[in-house]
């Protein structure tokens, strides 16, 4: 059987996901299932360079429009209608606006490849004082 998927997107910019209720969506004729981060059995990360974006946001949304779930349905119409019936409860978090705010709240992005790619880890830990020795490792 052929199915359609339609993403359920976050509607707030910075919040914890408290619950996802799809009971109304499941009543739509043609609704098959709702897929969330809990359904991912492998790695829930993607990215062009560093795999640091979640396919389905598991806990905290950081932007409007992030994919929180996907509705699976038997038609495009049923999928879109069901998406409108998914209710996400959020606990809004205080926004972090600007560098000073981020430093004060200790909110930092992790460096790309930190401790996952040996050469970059060595360069960050030991610096580039003797670059030949870094590359020799």
């Amino acid at each position: 059987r052929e199915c359609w998927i339609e993403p359920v997107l976050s509607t707030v910019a910075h919040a914890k996901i408290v619950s996802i209720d799809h009971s109304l969506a499941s009543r739509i004729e043609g609704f098959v299932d709702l897929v969330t981060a809990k359904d991912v059995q492998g790695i829930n990360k993607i990215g062009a360079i560093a795999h640091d974006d979640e396919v389905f946001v598991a806990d905290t949304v950081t932007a409007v429009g992030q994919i929180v779930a996907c509705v699976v349905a038997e038609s495009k119409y049923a999928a879109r209608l069901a998406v409108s019936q998914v209710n996400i409860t959020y606990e809004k978090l205080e926004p972090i606006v600007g560098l000073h705010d981020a430093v004060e709240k200790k909110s930092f992005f992790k460096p790309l490849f930190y401790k996952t790619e040996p050469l970059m880890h060595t360069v960050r830990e030991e610096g580039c004082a003797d670059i030949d020795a870094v590359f020799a490792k």
Side-chain angles (χ1 to χ4, degrees), residues 57-130:
V57 177
D59 297 311
T60 305
V61 295
T62 56
V64 172
Q66 284 183 290
I67 299 173
V68 176
C70 274
V71 165
V72 181
E74 294 175 348
S75 70
K76 183 190 291 189
Y77 175 76
R80 289 188 176 173
L81 187 58
V83 162
S84 72
Q85 300 302 307
V86 174
N87 183 31
I88 302 172
T89 303
Y90 298 100
E91 176 188 321
K92 290 189 179 179
L93 300 173
E94 190 175 329
I96 297 171
V97 182
L99 182 60
H100 294 292
D101 202 12
V103 170
E104 182 180 304
K105 294 175 182 167
K106 298 185 184 328
S107 176
F108 308 106
F109 284 108
K110 294 177 185 166
L112 294 178
F113 310 114
Y114 189 69
K115 294 191 178 189
T116 59
E117 201 277 302
L119 176 60
M120 293 307 293
H121 172 65
T122 303
V123 169
R124 283 195 179 91
E125 294 297 314
E126 298 176 16
C128 293
D130 185 358

Side-chain angles (χ1 to χ4, degrees), residues 5-81:
I5 64 166
E6 192 73 25
V8 179
L9 306 176
S10 63
T11 57
V12 296
H14 192 210
K16 287 191 179 284
I17 298 170
V18 176
S19 65
I20 302 172
D21 178 14
H22 69 282
S23 57
L24 292 176
S26 65
R27 295 180 190 165
I28 303 293
E29 186 178 338
F31 176 87
V32 175
D33 204 355
L34 183 79
V35 180
T36 68
K38 292 176 183 174
D39 297 306
V40 177
Q41 294 181 5
I43 297 171
N44 186 33
K45 299 279 187 169
I46 59 171
I49 296 172
H51 297 274
D52 59 349
D53 288 321
E54 291 179 291
V55 177
F56 298 108
V57 177
D59 297 311
T60 305
V61 295
T62 56
V64 172
Q66 284 183 290
I67 299 173
V68 176
C70 274
V71 165
V72 181
E74 294 175 348
S75 70
K76 183 190 291 189
Y77 175 76
R80 289 188 176 173
L81 187 58

